[in-house]
């Protein structure tokens, strides 16, 4: 490898760690998850078969002996986990169905759901992102079942992600489902690609937030942030 290539690589590396830590400052390529036009031509079973083959090739390339009892089933387990679990949010058929209820109590203040578990995967390294999401909205006459907010967070987390995009996808989905602009989303998460490789920082976390409607005013934003403050001091 010549000097220029090494410099290129170093530049690329530092750019990636910059992206990881830039919080909500950097501009994404797209708010939509970049998908191929033929993304759903194959069945889940066909995808599992293919990924299994490819993952077996990766393991063998690394020199692992797949005749070993412990490793033999790994390509299948990884393929099944990708399609049915950790990347199941790529498929719109897995999107949670949301039922709305009338806001019978005429509660017109913000409703906050705190500490929703986020378990996602960094799309740059395919390593875990894990943390907490806090969501608030002001009802426009309708309310949503609380567990549905968790399910929406989970659905968009189960994709290869960038934290900023995850934040905006949750925000936009809640706006759409709740028929209101008044939504806030805040995510504080750790990236294993930052803690276990690269810069190897185990203490830093990345904070991203998205505000719309009434949450764009400083007072509402303050109210929201102060009520999740106990988590911020962790
Ligand atoms: Zn990463």
């Amino acid at each position: 490898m010549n000097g220029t290539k090494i410099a290129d690589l170093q530049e690329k590396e530092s750019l990636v760690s910059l992206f990881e830590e830039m919080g909500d400052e950097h501009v994404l390529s797209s708010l939509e998850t970049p998908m191929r036009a033929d993304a759903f031509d194959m069945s889940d079973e066909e995808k599992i078969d293919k990924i299994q083959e490819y993952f077996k090739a990766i393991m063998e390339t690394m020199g692992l002996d797949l005749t070993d009892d412990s490793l033999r089933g790994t390509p299948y387990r990884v393929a099944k986990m990708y399609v049915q679990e950790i990347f199941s949010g790529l498929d719109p058929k897995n999107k949670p169905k949301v039922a709305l209820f009338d806001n019978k109590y005429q509660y017109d203040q913000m409703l906050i759901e705190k500490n929703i578990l986020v378990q996602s995967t960094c799309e740059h390294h395919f390593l875990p992102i894990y943390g907490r999401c806090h969501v608030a909205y002001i009802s426009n006459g309708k309310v949503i079942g609380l567990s549905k907010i968790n399910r929406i967070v989970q659905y968009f987390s189960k994709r290869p992600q960038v934290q900023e995009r995850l934040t905006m996808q949750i925000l936009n989905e809640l706006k759409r489902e709740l028929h209101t602009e008044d939504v806030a989303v805040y995510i504080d998460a750790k990236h294993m690609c930052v803690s276990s490789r690269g810069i190897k920082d185990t203490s830093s976390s990345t904070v991203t937030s998205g505000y719309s409607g009434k949450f764009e005013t400083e007072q509402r934003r303050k109210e929201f942030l102060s009520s999740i403050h106990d988590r911020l001091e962790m």
Side-chain angles (χ1 to χ4, degrees):
M1 206 183 290
N2 64 35
T4 322
K5 271 193 182 154
I6 292 170
D8 281 356
L9 263 181
Q10 282 169 343
E11 197 189 7
K12 221 171 157 187
E13 275 279 320
S14 64
L15 259 182
V16 168
S17 35
L18 192 67
F19 286 160
E20 298 295 346
E21 299 197 43
M22 269 178 76
D24 59 356
E25 294 296 316
H26 86 250
V27 181
L28 285 168
S29 59
S30 161
L31 274 187
E32 297 296 322
T33 300
M35 296 293 287
R36 291 165 56 95
D38 60 358
F40 305 108
D41 290 358
M42 253 185 276
S43 69
D44 283 1
E45 291 67 35
E46 287 171 302
K47 285 181 186 178
I48 290 171
D49 283 350
K50 276 204 170 224
I51 295 169
Q52 184 178 349
E53 254 173 63
Y54 299 144
F55 205 80
K56 185 169 178 243
I58 290 173
M59 292 175 73
E60 282 173 346
T61 307
M62 290 192 295
L64 291 164
D65 177 6
L66 272 90
T67 63
D68 183 274
D69 275 347
S70 175
L71 297 180
R72 198 167 48 191
T74 301
Y76 170 72
R77 284 187 290 264
V78 170
K80 190 175 169 221
M81 173 184 73
Y82 275 13
V83 174
Q84 294 183 354
E85 295 174 281
I86 65 173
F87 300 131
S88 60
L90 288 172
D91 194 333
K93 78 170 188 288
N94 297 322
K95 195 161 153 179
K97 310 263 176 300
V98 172
L100 295 178
F101 306 95
D102 287 327
N103 182 10
K104 287 205 179 106
Y105 305 104
Q106 303 298 311
Y107 179 74
D108 62 356
Q109 296 304 304
M110 68 173 72
L111 186 147
I112 301 173
E113 194 179 349
K114 297 200 285 189
N115 304 321
I116 301 167
L117 183 65
V118 169
Q119 286 176 307
S120 190
T121 305
C122 155
E123 73 178 18
H124 301 133
H125 302 94
F126 272 50
L127 282 174
I129 298 172
Y130 52 99
R132 297 284 163 175
C133 176
H134 315 284
V135 167
Y137 72 94
I138 298 165
S139 171
N140 186 19
K142 297 280 180 190
V143 291
I144 188 174
L146 289 183
S147 70
K148 290 295 181 189
I149 298 179
N150 297 59
R151 288 193 195 286
I152 289 169
V153 171
Q154 274 174 14
Y155 171 70
F156 289 103
S157 296
K158 287 180 176 179
R159 296 177 173 190
Q161 275 291 12
V162 177
Q163 189 175 324
E164 295 86 334
R165 185 200 294 128
L166 175 62
T167 306
M168 295 312 289
Q169 287 181 336
I170 295 167
L171 181 82
N172 290 334
E173 181 66 10
L174 286 167
K175 278 162 66 175
R176 212 178 56 81
E177 294 284 2
L178 287 159
H179 307 285
T180 178
E181 284 295 305
D182 308 328
V183 179
V185 175
Y186 184 106
I187 297 178
D188 188 348
K190 286 180 179 287
H191 293 233
M192 262 198 68
C193 52
V194 175
S195 63
S196 69
R197 51 158 297 289
I199 195 81
K200 292 194 176 130
D201 184 335
T202 54
S203 65
S204 70
S205 67
T206 304
V207 169
T208 48
S209 54
Y211 301 104
S212 78
K214 290 179 182 159
F215 288 98
E216 287 178 82
T217 66
E218 207 189 323
Q219 184 226 328
R220 286 288 188 185
R221 205 180 285 203
K222 262 190 189 159
E223 195 185 331
F224 170 60
L225 289 173
S226 69
S227 60
I228 61 172
H229 195 246
D230 54 328
R231 303 301 302 181
L232 303 184
E233 282 183 343
M234 269 178 58

